[in-house]
Amino acid sequence: MARPLIAPLLGLIAGIVCSSLLMAQDSFLLSALAFVLILLLLSRLKARKNAPLFFLCCALFLCGWLQMNTYLYQPPGKGHIIEQLRTNPVTIEGVIVESPLLFPEKTDLMISAHSLTDSKGSYFPVHGKILLSFRGTLAFDYGDVVRVRTRLRKVRNFHNPGGFNYERYLRYQGVLLRGSVADDSRIVVLRKGYGNVIRQKLEGFRSTIRTFVDTNAPSPEKEIIQACILGDQQQIPRELRDAFSKTGISHIIAISGFNMSMIAFFSIYLVRGIIRRFPYLLLRFDLYKLSVLFAVPPVILYTFIAGAGMSVLRATLMILAFMAALLISKSRDLYNTLAMAALIILLVYPPALFDVSFQLSFAAVLAILIITPVLTAFIPKPEPVPGTPYRLPVLFSKGLYAFAMFIIVSLSAMLGTMPLIAFYFNRLSVISLLANIVIVPILGILAIPVSMATIFFLPFSSMVSAFFLDIAGTLVMISLDLNNYFASLPWAAVYLTTPSLLELLFFYVFLYGLLDVLAHLSGYNGTGHDNDKEPDNASFLVRLRSCPSWIHYTLAAPLLFFCIDAVYLYQKNNNRGDFSATAIDVGQGSSILVRFPGDQTMLIDGGGFINSTFDVGKYIVAPYLWYDRLNRIDIVVLTHPHPDHLNGLPFILENFPVREVWINGEMSGSEEYQRFLAIIKNKGLIRRSMSAGNSHVVIGGVRIEYLNPPDPLSRKEEEATFTETNDGSLVMRMTYGEVSFLFPGDISAMTEERLASDSRELRSQLLFVPHHGGRTSSSEAFLQRVRPQTAIISVGADNLFRLPHPDVLKRLNQRGVMTYRTDLHGAVTATTDGLGLSIYPYQPVVDDADL
């Protein structure tokens, strides 16, 4: 078989995917694996032609399923720290088992706990990892034994369709609990040096490099250099990372296959130059293979200097696989080499299949292997003209050919990864190809090797090392200026709604058909030009008509699908017949998406966290909107300027087309609110201050009434108490047909009683429970007037306020109100056709006892 590793790889991938979708007992899988291995042995003994490969694929399928089971379904075991989970703070002692992760706003420590002491002084030996976050400088090292007092929490997701599965991401690393402290003064180092001795030496050298770069390079150049050589990209400022994302060159500042290939290339080039000076070696050995062999140690050394994390090891293994193919003269079968690298990675660490960087890396390499030869066939290779004494024209033509090849390789990688980038990041860089052509030669091809020279000379001469660091800093500065220019262009990048898996599939089918057409036109047949094809002087249409009919189908079928898909999405988003409201799970906050009959939408609040740099709008609300195929919001509503309702809205205003903004009129001096107002002004959005004095409006047949505040507010938030700001919330009642939804914001019992005594109608089938189920809200008088059938509480899991309050749940339960909570049910959607009410929780409905 020409490529024997591809089929086994597909079998392993299928097993990993099946495990993530369906749980099967390990005993059953082990029995099946033993049976398949017996059949594999028998088929080999009887020399069956294709049976051994089939049974090998089946065995790898079962292996993949079994291995993933250990990550997803294996219980933590007796004595795990999760068994001692407490609501009160506890004291943890443990060892730092990974290099600390440094971010601009915090530091994360991975601690393997060995003891826990609760608030009563009881001591428990435990095992298991926790992820501890704190603010402050890096004062801890790998191998430190530390003691910290913190409140442990289970790792939880924001349960919304299209959201990132953070819980599973940490579970793959063996982390089930998180903790946090205010700053590093709360963490006590008991002992040092309890890690692996070799790794501690390595971490010490990494620390030396980090300190040297910090001392001798300015910011932000030093953060970029550290990211390229140490993998510490978390320290890059958020604005700079966003600029790299806009221009599509983030792969350079991450330790990826590109970085490793640069190290391998320059190592081979350097070793080759050294070997050429020794004629004895040239006579006895193959120069090409010997250069590749001696380039292996620098690649492995750089792997450990870069931290030897999973993404770094994956990139290293990929490069080593290709180097191995060169050594054993199998370089022509690069598809099999790529399959071998993927097979080894997934056997060692199956969850890598679901890692975005793994998928992007292999998609880029596979696209380069497939697309580049087809496009290159259109470019004539430079050949020396016999009898021409001048070398300059030949060198010039070779330079042009190399430049064209660089563009083709960049274009191939971009085409291969573009659908995955749109799926995972909802963003495409329009300027990516141009930015890569301009910036990659400076930042990637020049700056990375120079930065590596800094590391090489550091143990021998800090002066020489500083010289190379200055050069690297200059190259990085030039790259940053160019990158910032490209990123500042208004059309540099666009946000997209999340494509479906079927859309991704048909894109690749279309790309495959297009490549077949191009291969037919160029005469490329997979190994070179086919002389039996149409002659070069044949017209384009003649050669196009001569393409096999199946190629036409691979182009026509995707085009037909995308036309039907576009019509379907247009009808779905613009001709809705029902009225719906979705409480998005934003943790301890509130954000509600309202979709009116027809095509108009409204976002009521955007969630947010107090004193946190985590952007709820960017990482929670926007991904849900994109998943719901929304790329615009007609009306954004801020009920009141508290952070848990406000902080997610600036990102929405900046990156979604918005027609107008409704507020309650209350002003705030907070940074986020000022940013909120500045965006409204800069984008020329309509801003309306709403109150009970405004007359009702009708949108898509839905009547919207304003019930609070009683008069337009003009005060500043600083002039009001916390409760007064809550009571100033914009309260709206929306009615479609015979069904009403009530959106009361964070009002308390005082405002509720005023509304209850008012003559205006409050009766609503659906109530979004005020103030996240706080004790001072949802009073008896208010519930008596509203008389809801269903209630939705927007609340965070394990929140510090311990909401919803049991008294509120009791009052709702006594009235027979069906209650849903975002901390238990995730995003909850209520839909009505004007007659009945339907509720769709994202998470399975739990028992009433759990509520």
Side-chain angles (χ1 to χ4, degrees):
M1 190 174 181
R3 290 163 182 163
L5 294 180
I6 293 179
L9 173 62
L10 295 177
L12 180 63
I13 290 174
I16 295 171
V17 172
C18 286
S19 177
S20 67
L21 299 175
L22 180 67
M23 178 182 177
Q25 294 295 326
D26 288 356
S27 56
F28 169 77
L29 294 174
L30 285 171
S31 300
L33 179 59
F35 178 71
V36 169
L37 290 176
I38 292 172
L39 294 178
L40 174 61
L41 179 61
L42 292 175
S43 64
R44 288 291 297 172
L45 293 175
K46 294 187 177 183
R48 302 289 186 183
K49 185 176 180 181
N50 295 320
L53 180 61
F54 172 76
F55 290 125
L56 177 61
C57 293
C58 291
L60 286 172
F61 170 81
L62 294 170
C63 283
W65 201 323
L66 270 169
Q67 284 184 284
M68 276 303 294
N69 277 1
T70 62
Y71 288 93
L72 292 176
Y73 310 117
Q74 189 174 25
K78 186 174 178 59
H80 193 276
I81 190 172
I82 201 169
E83 295 178 351
Q84 305 298 334
L85 191 60
R86 303 285 194 274
T87 56
N88 295 320
V90 296
T91 301
I92 302 294
E93 289 188 12
V95 183
I96 299 176
V97 292
E98 297 290 345
S99 301
L101 289 178
L102 286 77
F103 297 88
E105 68 279 0
K106 66 170 184 175
T107 300
D108 282 348
L109 298 180
M110 187 78 75
I111 299 176
S112 178
H114 57 68
S115 70
L116 178 149
T117 305
D118 64 16
S119 56
K120 297 179 181 179
S122 300
Y123 174 89
F124 301 91
V126 296
H127 67 87
K129 295 179 181 178
I130 65 170
L131 186 65
L132 182 72
S133 301
F134 65 93
R135 297 177 184 270
T137 58
L138 178 61
F140 310 97
D141 300 308
Y142 163 80
D144 287 355
V145 179
V146 296
R147 177 190 295 150
V148 59
R149 185 170 179 80
T150 182
R151 179 174 176 264
L152 297 178
R153 307 184 306 274
K154 285 185 178 181
V155 178
R156 295 183 182 271
N157 290 324
F158 296 97
H159 294 291
N160 302 300
F164 175 63
N165 197 330
Y166 186 62
E167 183 179 343
R168 179 170 289 192
Y169 169 77
L170 287 183
R171 188 181 183 90
Y172 289 155
Q173 302 175 54
V175 179
L176 302 179
L177 296 175
R178 290 203 63 170
S180 62
V181 292
D183 53 60
D184 52 8
S185 65
R186 309 294 180 90
I187 308 173
V188 179
V189 178
L190 301 179
R191 295 177 295 277
K192 299 183 75 70
Y194 270 69
N196 179 275
V197 176
I198 297 177
R199 184 168 181 181
Q200 284 184 182
K201 295 290 185 183
L202 177 64
E203 290 297 330
F205 183 56
R206 282 168 49 82
S207 180
T208 301
I209 297 171
R210 188 181 294 110
T211 302
F212 181 80
V213 174
D214 274 337
T215 305
N216 294 278
S219 184
E221 288 90 332
K222 65 181 180 182
E223 285 85 3
I224 301 298
I225 293 173
Q226 288 176 352
C228 292
I229 62 178
L230 296 177
D232 292 343
Q233 59 176 309
Q234 297 88 357
Q235 289 186 282
I236 299 176
R238 190 184 303 273
E239 298 78 13
L240 198 54
R241 276 184 284 169
D242 187 65
F244 277 106
S245 176
K246 279 186 177 180
T247 55
I249 59 171
S250 299
H251 58 93
I252 303 179
I253 59 174
I255 304 296
S256 62
F258 176 84
N259 304 62
M260 288 297 177
S261 62
M262 286 296 99
I263 299 301
F265 173 78
F266 280 98
S267 297
I268 292 173
Y269 186 81
L270 181 62
V271 171
R272 194 173 184 179
I274 295 174
I275 294 176
R276 282 181 181 276
R277 298 181 176 274
F278 297 92
Y280 174 78
L281 295 177
L282 292 174
L283 293 174
R284 287 187 58 87
F285 301 102
D286 185 314
L287 173 63
Y288 185 67
K289 291 185 178 181
L290 195 62
S291 301
V292 172
L293 182 63
F294 276 97
V296 170
V299 170
I300 295 176
L301 178 62
Y302 177 61
T303 300
F304 289 104
I305 291 175
M310 183 51 62
S311 60
V312 178
L313 291 174
R314 182 171 55 248
T316 301
L317 186 57
M318 189 185 301
I319 295 300
L320 291 179
F322 282 99
M323 294 174 75
L326 295 174
L327 289 173
I328 61 177
S329 302
K330 295 289 185 180
S331 59
R332 292 184 178 274
D333 195 4
L334 296 180
Y335 295 101
N336 209 48
T337 303
L338 186 64
M340 178 181 68
L343 193 63
I344 296 173
I345 291 171
L346 294 179
L347 282 172
V348 173
Y349 186 64
L353 179 65
F354 304 106
D355 187 81
V356 180
S357 60
F358 173 88
Q359 296 178 19
L360 290 176
S361 296
F362 279 88
V365 175
L366 188 60
I368 291 171
L369 294 180
I370 295 175
I371 299 175
T372 300
V374 176
L375 299 182
T376 305
F378 287 92
I379 303 174
K381 290 185 177 181
E383 296 181 0
V385 180
T388 303
Y390 303 106
R391 295 185 59 192
L392 187 60
V394 176
L395 294 175
F396 181 73
S397 62
K398 286 184 177 181
L400 285 179
Y401 183 79
F403 181 69
M405 284 294 298
F406 175 68
I407 295 177
I408 289 174
V409 169
S410 300
L411 177 62
S412 300
M414 186 180 72
L415 289 173
T417 57
M418 186 167 59
L420 295 176
I421 292 174
F423 182 78
Y424 286 111
F425 304 107
N426 299 99
R427 195 179 202 179
L428 284 181
S429 173
V430 178
I431 208 168
S432 174
L433 184 61
L434 178 60
N436 272 271
I437 293 172
V438 175
I439 299 174
V440 167
I442 303 173
L443 183 57
I445 299 177
L446 295 179
I448 290 179
V450 173
S451 299
M452 288 303 299
T454 300
I455 298 175
F456 177 80
F457 286 104
L458 184 58
F460 309 105
S461 172
S462 59
M463 184 178 296
V464 175
S465 188
F467 170 75
F468 282 105
L469 184 62
D470 287 340
I471 298 176
T474 302
L475 294 171
V476 169
M477 180 183 65
I478 295 171
S479 302
L480 290 180
D481 289 340
L482 290 170
N483 187 73
N484 290 335
Y485 169 74
F486 286 130
S488 67
L489 299 175
W491 44 272
V494 293
Y495 280 106
L496 304 172
T497 61
T498 306
S500 66
L501 294 179
L502 202 57
E503 288 169 341
L504 296 184
L505 174 63
F506 273 100
F507 174 86
Y508 283 118
V509 170
F510 178 79
L511 182 60
Y512 181 79
L514 184 62
L515 288 174
D516 278 330
V517 170
L518 294 176
H520 186 81
L521 295 177
S522 67
Y524 179 78
N525 63 358
T527 58
H529 290 282
D530 189 347
N531 295 327
D532 294 332
K533 299 288 181 182
E534 294 289 335
D536 291 339
N537 58 359
S539 70
F540 175 82
L541 291 177
V542 169
R543 285 185 285 172
L544 186 60
R545 290 194 194 100
S546 67
C547 291
S549 58
W550 66 268
I551 294 181
H552 296 158
Y553 293 142
T554 58
L555 290 175
L559 290 175
L560 178 61
F561 167 80
F562 284 119
C563 289
I564 296 173
D565 187 51
V567 172
Y568 165 75
L569 291 176
Y570 178 83
Q571 293 292 331
K572 175 187 173 185
N573 289 328
N574 294 276
N575 295 291
R576 294 175 57 90
D578 55 10
F579 169 55
S580 69
T582 300
I584 304 171
D585 179 11
V586 291
Q588 188 57 33
S590 179
S591 182
I592 303 170
L593 172 67
V594 178
R595 303 192 69 162
F596 298 97
D599 65 342
Q600 297 202 60
T601 56
M602 174 188 288
L603 183 66
I604 304 174
D605 295 327
F609 297 114
I610 302 172
N611 299 323
S612 174
T613 58
F614 181 77
D615 194 333
V616 172
K618 181 176 182 178
Y619 296 111
I620 301 176
V621 179
Y624 172 74
L625 300 178
W626 288 321
Y627 180 85
D628 207 27
R629 307 308 291 260
L630 287 176
N631 53 14
R632 67 177 173 85
I633 297 293
D634 294 287
I635 303 170
V636 167
V637 178
L638 174 62
T639 58
H640 61 294
H642 274 167
D644 57 333
H645 294 250
L646 161 68
N647 287 4
L649 290 181
F651 181 85
I652 302 300
L653 293 179
E654 283 182 327
N655 297 284
F656 283 77
V658 176
R659 188 178 71 243
E660 55 187 88
V661 179
W662 296 355
I663 61 175
N664 68 346
E666 186 168 358
M667 296 291 109
S668 170
S670 70
E671 181 181 344
E672 283 301 313
Y673 191 79
Q674 294 305 311
R675 179 186 169 200
F676 174 78
L677 293 180
I679 296 170
I680 294 173
K681 180 180 179 180
N682 294 337
K683 298 190 72 172
L685 306 179
I686 300 171
R687 191 182 81 184
R688 304 184 191 275
S689 294
M690 298 300 191
S691 67
N694 291 89
S695 58
H696 74 272
V697 297
V698 178
I699 300 177
V702 177
R703 176 187 174 96
I704 305 177
E705 302 169 89
Y706 311 101
L707 308 178
N708 193 64
D711 300 302
L713 294 178
S714 58
R715 70 190 181 201
K716 295 183 179 179
E717 187 186 11
E718 293 79 4
E719 300 171 353
T721 65
F722 181 82
T723 301
E724 287 173 340
T725 297
N726 283 335
D727 280 324
S729 296
L730 177 60
V731 178
M732 295 180 292
R733 180 174 179 263
M734 301 186 187
T735 304
Y736 183 53
E738 301 175 5
V739 179
S740 297
F741 295 177
L742 186 61
F743 305 87
D746 277 0
I747 60 173
S748 68
M750 183 176 67
T751 300
E752 290 179 349
E753 290 174 5
R754 181 179 59 79
L755 292 176
S757 62
D758 194 277
S759 60
R760 303 179 73 168
E761 182 62 62
L762 286 183
R763 174 81 169 93
S764 301
Q765 284 74 15
L766 175 65
L767 170 66
F768 287 86
V769 175
H771 203 195
H772 320 288
R775 181 179 60 85
T776 59
S777 300
S778 304
S779 60
E780 288 285 0
F782 181 71
L783 294 178
Q784 177 63 30
R785 282 293 311 277
V786 178
R787 289 181 290 165
Q789 298 174 2
T790 305
I792 298 176
I793 307 175
S794 184
V795 64
D798 298 330
N799 62 86
L800 293 174
F801 311 103
R802 300 186 180 180
L803 300 179
H805 196 277
D807 290 349
V808 173
L809 296 177
K810 182 179 178 180
R811 289 195 289 268
L812 292 171
N813 186 55
Q814 287 175 342
R815 293 182 172 275
V817 180
M818 186 63 185
T819 305
Y820 295 85
R821 295 163 43 175
T822 56
D823 60 333
L824 300 177
H825 300 88
V828 182
T829 300
T831 302
T832 179
D833 58 359
L835 298 174
L837 180 65
S838 301
I839 305 295
Y840 303 98
Y842 179 61
Q843 292 283 92
V845 178
V846 296
D847 296 331
D848 291 343
D850 295 330
L851 295 174

